Amino acid sequence: MDDSLRELYQDVILDHSRHPRHFGVVEGATHKGEGHNPLCGDRVNVTMALDGEGRIADIKFEGKGCAISQASASLMTEMLQGRSVEDAEKLMGGFLHLVKGEETELAGDDRERLEVMAGVSAFPMRVKCATLAWHTMKSALEGGS
Ligand code: ZN
């Protein structure tokens, strides 16, 4: 990755952490999850409302922690709004591979948007920060409210 691209990615991450998208709590949420990364002290809570067709009609997060954890949560909620649960799980699988520096099944627009987090693969401690929101979303889907 060249330096200008790395700077662009850092700008995107800082922008998301300073101005998080979908920050708050979904009213009448059907699914809730609480996530904690003790290694860094990050916290992310995710609330979602699913419609009758397995689609994420609304998703929001609240949290505090490092820029990576909060930016990743912001980016995730922005991407998952309106997507199917099936898509969300596929994206999560692809994202986990991406941030571990492994071959990823992400493609097209999804890959382009999540690529900004790929740099964390060089920092194993940071991988947990980047994946916290996704694991929390998954546990919300599994647990319901
Ligand atoms: Zn962190």
Side-chain angles (χ1 to χ4, degrees):
M1 198 187 300
D2 67 34
D3 286 349
S4 58
L5 197 57
R6 184 170 295 129
E7 270 172 35
L8 172 71
Y9 287 174
Q10 279 171 355
D11 285 349
V12 174
I13 290 169
L14 281 178
D15 182 51
H16 271 279
S17 73
R18 285 178 184 152
H19 311 286
R21 277 59 141 188
H22 296 265
F23 195 88
V25 175
V26 172
E27 289 219 16
T30 57
H31 294 71
K32 296 176 189 171
E34 293 185 7
H36 180 215
N37 171 19
L39 290 174
C40 182
D42 308 317
R43 287 190 183 277
V44 170
N45 294 340
V46 173
T47 47
M48 286 185 272
L50 266 54
D51 68 12
E53 280 141 30
R55 211 160 279 281
I56 300 169
D58 207 356
I59 177 167
K60 289 185 181 172
F61 84 99
E62 280 186 330
K64 54 181 180 181
C66 68
I68 298 280
S69 67
Q70 304 305 303
S72 182
S74 172
L75 191 61
M76 179 191 78
T77 53
E78 192 176 60
M79 284 187 73
L80 295 186
Q81 175 90 32
R83 303 287 285 262
S84 68
V85 168
E86 201 185 336
D87 272 1
E89 285 172 351
K90 275 191 203 150
L91 284 171
M92 178 181 175
F95 182 73
L96 294 187
H97 286 141
L98 179 78
V99 293
K100 288 175 188 164
E102 297 165 0
E103 195 68 33
T104 178
E105 55 273 52
L106 290 173
D109 198 36
D110 292 333
R111 170 148 199 170
E112 225 164 84
R113 292 175 74 185
L114 289 173
E115 188 82 30
V116 295
M117 306 298 291
V120 301
S121 64
F123 309 95
M125 291 281 288
R126 289 300 188 176
V127 171
K128 295 216 183 291
C129 303
T131 58
L132 176 63
W134 291 84
H135 285 299
T136 308
M137 176 278 294
K138 175 93 167 138
S139 78
L141 283 176
E142 284 165 355
S145 62

